[in-house]
Amino acid sequence: MSVSALSLTRFPDSISGFLQVASVLSLLLLLFKVIQFYVHRQWLLRVTQQFPFPPANWFFGHKISEDQELQEILTRVKNFPSACPRWFWGSKMRIQVYDPDYIKVILGRSDPKSHGSYRFLAPWIGYGLLLLNGETWFQHRRMLTPAFHYDILKPYVRIMADSVHVMLDKWEQIVGQDSTLEIFQHISLMTLDTIMKCAFSHEGSVQLDGKYQPYIQAVEDLNNLFFFRVRNIFHQNDTIYNLSSNGRQAISAYRLAHDHTDQVIKSRKAQLQDEGELEKVKKKRRLDFLDILLFARMENGSSLTDKDLRAEVDTFMFEGHDTTASGISWILYALASHPEHQQRCRDEVQSLLGGASITWDHLDQMPYTTMCIKEAMRLYPPVPGVGRELSTPVTFPDGRSLPKGISVLLSLYGLHHNPTVWPNPEVFDPSRFAPESSRHSHSFLPFSGGARNCIGKQFAMNELKVAVALTLLRFELLPDPTRIPVPIPRLVLKSKNGIHLCLKKLQ
Ligand code: HEM
C-alpha cells in the first residue's frame, strides 16, 4: 500500500480520535463548572445563613417580574429586617441592604463598586469617575471637584433657567387646555441641553435641534439592556452576549452614544483652536468640566489618556442628565398628585420671584418647595440602588456579619420606604423635611453618602429647584388618571409607561 493511501485511511481515524478527545474535555469542563457552581453556592449559603430570604429555586433563584421588583423590595423590607439576599441564580446572589445603620457601616468603608454588575457599563461609559476604584478614582475625583465649585455653579442657574423656558415654551405650543403630555422625554432633552451647555460649553440648543433624540434613545435602551443583562445567566460572558440580539442592540447603542460624545470633544477642541477663546479660558480662575479635562491632557498628557478623557465625558454626559431628568419628572408627578402642596409651592415661588428672573440667591429662599422636592426624592429616588463588593469582612451593629467577596446592593428605594425609618412611608408628607424634624444621618440618601457620594449633588439640586419653580409659575399640573406611572428600577428610576401629566396653562 502506498504512503498516501495509508494516510487517507488514517484520516477518518484521526478525526474520530480528535472528536473523542474533544468530547472528553468538554465533559470534564462541564463537570468542573458544575462542581464550581455547587461549591460556590454552598459557600454563599453558609456565609449568609444569618440572613434569611424568601423561598428561591436552587437554579433560577428569585424570579421576579420587572414591574414587581420594587414591590418585592417593599415586601422584603417588611419581612426581613435590615438586609436580605436576592438570588439571581444558583451561584449568583447579592445582599440587599435597606437599614440606615447597615448602610452607614458600608458607606463608611472604601469597598469597590460591585465588579459583577458595574463592569457591564464599561463598554458604554468606560472607567470614568463612576466605575473607577482606588488611587485612580481618587486622582480623578480630586481633579474634577473644582468643576462643581460655587463660583462655577453660580452662573449655571441662568443657563438652567433658559433651558427650562425653552421646554415650557414648547409645552405651551403642544398642549391646548386640558391636554396630557408624556413629560419624561421632554425633560430628558432639557436636562441634556443644560449639561451640554454647562459642562461641555456647547453652543446652540439641544432642544430645538432635532439631532439629539437618538442619544436620548440610546441611553434609554442601555438602561434597559443593563437591567436585563445583570439578571440573565447566559449573558454574563462578553462573547456570548455580543452575539445575542440584546448584545448587538447594545453595541449599536454604544456606537450612537460614543458618536455623540466624540462630537462634543471634537467641537470643544476646535473652539479652543481659536486664540481668542483660548485666552478667555486661560484667564478664568476656574474651568468648566470639559476644559479641566482637556487642559489636564494638554499640560500633562501622561496623566489623562484619550481613553480616560472619553470615559469621563461619557460618564458625566449620562450621569449629568438622566438622573436629573428622572428627579424632575417624578417630582412634578408627585406635585401633580398633591394639589394642595403644589399650590403652596407655587405661592412661595410667586411671592419670592414676583416677575423677576430666578437667580442663585433665590435657591435658598424656597424652603417649602425644597421640602417637597426632598419628599418626592424620598418616594422616588432617582438612583434606586448602588452596589459594592466587600473587600474585607464586615460586622453590622446587630452582630451579623458578611465575609470578603460578597456583593451588596444598598437599596436607596428600600431605605426610603422602610417603615421603621419613615412611618407611613407611602404617604407624601413634606413636613418630614421641616427644619425642626430630626432623623437618622443615613435615612435619606438620594445622592448616596461617604467618599463616593454624588459629585454633582449641588448642581443637581439647583437644577431641580429651577425646573420645579419655573414650571409651577407657568402650569397647573394634574395626574392623568388613565395612565398612572409604574416605577421600574433601572440605572435611574423610570416609569414603565412613561409619566403622563395633564398640563393647564396658567393665565
Ligand atoms: C437628581 C440628580 C442626581 C442624583 C439623584 C444622583 C445620585 C447619585 C448617586 C446615588 C451616586 C452614587 C452612585 C454609586 O455609588 O454607584 C452618584 C454618583 C455620581 N454622580 Fe450623581 N446624581 C445626580 C446628578 C448628578 C449630576 C448632575 C452629575 C454630574 C453633573 C452627577 C455625577 C455623578 C458622578 C460622576 C458620580 C460618581 C461619583 C464618584 O464615584 O466619585 N450626578 N450620583
Side-chain angles (χ1 to χ4, degrees):
M1 201 185 280
S2 71
V3 174
S4 59
L6 241 179
S7 53
L8 268 179
T9 48
R10 281 195 188 147
F11 189 55
D13 283 356
S14 61
I15 291 186
S16 78
F18 172 76
L19 287 178
Q20 277 174 12
V21 172
S23 320
V24 171
L25 284 177
S26 308
L27 272 175
L28 283 175
L29 184 68
L30 188 67
L31 190 67
F32 174 73
K33 285 279 168 201
V34 170
I35 293 173
Q36 205 182 28
F37 174 95
Y38 178 78
V39 170
H40 190 57
R41 178 177 166 77
Q42 290 308 110
W43 179 76
L44 285 172
L45 284 169
R46 196 171 60 250
V47 298
T48 59
Q49 61 188 346
Q50 293 171 304
F51 295 86
F53 55 86
N57 179 281
W58 71 270
F59 185 73
F60 293 113
H62 291 113
K63 277 284 146 223
I64 302 164
S65 70
E66 62 159 324
D67 45 358
Q68 284 305 306
E69 286 261 345
L70 293 173
Q71 201 46 50
E72 171 68 16
I73 289 186
L74 300 189
T75 313
R76 287 164 175 240
V77 169
K78 271 195 218 120
N79 299 335
F80 301 93
S82 307
C84 178
R86 158 82 196 265
W87 289 87
F88 288 96
W89 52 85
S91 62
K92 182 168 173 183
M93 181 272 295
R94 68 184 180 200
I95 305 270
Q96 292 174 326
V97 178
Y98 29 75
D99 174 273
D101 286 321
Y102 272 50
I103 291 183
K104 189 174 174 185
V105 170
I106 300 288
L107 291 180
R109 296 160 43 106
S110 51
D111 301 301
K113 299 285 172 87
S114 309
H115 179 70
S117 42
Y118 279 82
R119 77 185 165 94
F120 298 144
L121 294 175
W124 168 24
I125 57 171
Y127 284 91
L129 208 54
L130 188 72
L131 299 192
L132 280 172
N133 287 306
E135 186 56 25
T136 323
W137 165 76
F138 182 74
Q139 284 167 2
H140 283 218
R141 178 96 186 194
R142 204 173 44 189
M143 172 178 67
L144 292 170
T145 297
F148 296 92
H149 187 276
Y150 155 101
D151 283 347
I152 293 282
L153 296 184
K154 225 171 160 179
Y156 288 170
V157 174
R158 168 86 190 277
I159 299 177
M160 290 169 177
D162 288 347
S163 294
V164 175
H165 279 307
V166 171
M167 179 183 77
L168 299 176
D169 289 345
K170 270 212 278 183
W171 286 5
E172 270 188 21
Q173 282 171 13
I174 298 171
V175 302
Q177 282 290 322
D178 297 340
S179 29
T180 64
L181 189 72
E182 198 293 303
I183 59 167
F184 208 116
Q185 289 192 22
H186 288 264
I187 294 177
S188 298
L189 215 47
M190 184 276 286
T191 54
L192 182 64
D193 198 3
T194 306
I195 197 72
M196 287 276 283
K197 286 185 175 128
C198 296
F200 301 104
S201 308
H202 179 72
E203 289 166 358
S205 173
V206 166
Q207 295 181 88
L208 299 177
D209 184 338
K211 72 178 185 200
Y212 295 94
Q213 195 53 44
Y215 174 74
I216 300 278
Q217 188 56 51
V219 172
E220 166 91 33
D221 294 344
L222 289 167
N223 259 284
N224 289 328
L225 290 163
F226 173 78
F227 175 87
F228 291 116
R229 186 171 181 191
V230 169
R231 284 156 180 75
N232 187 332
I233 187 171
F234 303 109
H235 285 174
Q236 304 300 298
N237 176 282
D238 288 346
T239 314
I240 296 175
Y241 184 65
N242 292 344
L243 291 171
S244 71
S245 75
N246 276 14
R248 289 197 306 273
Q249 204 191 336
I251 290 169
S252 89
Y254 303 147
R255 202 173 300 130
L256 261 168
H258 293 157
D259 284 350
H260 168 72
T261 43
D262 282 343
Q263 187 52 43
V264 168
I265 297 172
K266 205 168 119 198
S267 119
R268 185 60 185 156
K269 278 184 176 166
Q271 284 171 356
L272 291 174
Q273 293 296 313
D274 180 278
E275 290 279 319
E277 182 70 13
L278 191 62
E279 278 313 303
K280 216 169 78 189
V281 174
K282 280 186 172 164
K283 274 193 200 133
K284 281 187 178 174
R285 224 157 55 87
R286 294 179 198 283
L287 297 180
D288 287 333
F289 170 81
L290 181 54
D291 290 346
I292 292 183
L293 293 171
L294 290 173
F295 279 83
R297 173 103 188 91
M298 280 193 240
E299 279 162 18
N300 181 4
S302 61
S303 69
L304 200 67
T305 62
D306 276 343
K307 206 169 149 204
D308 293 340
L309 187 145
R310 241 282 291 282
E312 291 302 359
V313 171
D314 280 314
T315 299
F316 278 77
M317 190 67 74
F318 157 62
E319 277 282 326
H321 94 280
D322 210 22
T323 48
T324 44
S326 168
I328 296 167
S329 304
W330 285 108
I331 293 164
L332 295 185
Y333 169 69
L335 289 174
S337 314
H338 299 90
E340 65 291 6
H341 298 296
Q342 182 186 152
Q343 190 52 42
R344 228 179 125 179
C345 293
R346 183 175 295 111
D347 292 344
E348 180 179 76
V349 176
Q350 266 166 351
S351 68
L352 176 69
L353 295 183
S357 306
I358 193 162
T359 64
W360 171 271
D361 292 331
H362 292 125
L363 301 182
D364 279 342
Q365 296 175 49
M366 35 175 94
Y368 198 74
T369 310
T370 307
M371 283 160 58
C372 288
I373 289 176
K374 288 186 177 168
E375 175 63 348
M377 280 208 285
R378 181 189 67 78
L379 276 172
Y380 305 106
V383 176
V386 303
R388 295 287 187 272
E389 192 166 305
L390 299 182
S391 56
T392 53
V394 65
T395 301
F396 295 107
D398 62 4
R400 292 194 288 180
S401 58
L402 289 170
K404 173 183 168 177
I406 292 289
S407 263
V408 290
L409 177 89
L410 309 183
S411 172
L412 304 178
Y413 190 88
L415 171 74
H416 289 183
H417 291 252
N418 188 335
T420 61
V421 184
W422 301 101
N424 302 318
E426 302 312 319
V427 175
F428 181 83
D429 177 8
S431 74
R432 301 179 202 266
F433 292 95
E436 65 279 7
S437 62
S438 66
R439 57 178 184 275
H440 191 294
S441 62
H442 284 67
S443 57
F444 177 63
L445 294 173
F447 297 101
S448 185
R452 298 215 63 165
N453 72 347
C454 175
I455 195 173
K457 174 181 172 174
Q458 189 60 48
F459 178 104
M461 278 309 286
N462 293 349
E463 190 173 6
L464 302 185
K465 287 180 187 175
V466 170
V468 170
L470 298 183
T471 305
L472 293 185
L473 288 181
R474 289 178 60 177
F475 290 96
E476 184 189 343
L477 313 171
L478 297 105
D480 176 351
T482 62
R483 281 176 287 197
I484 300 298
V486 179
I488 47 171
R490 293 293 183 265
L491 290 163
V492 305
L493 190 73
K494 303 258 166 166
S495 162
K496 193 177 177 198
N497 51 345
I499 299 188
H500 295 265
L501 293 188
C502 174
L503 303 175
K504 280 191 184 170
K505 187 172 160 343
L506 294 167
Q507 298 312 317

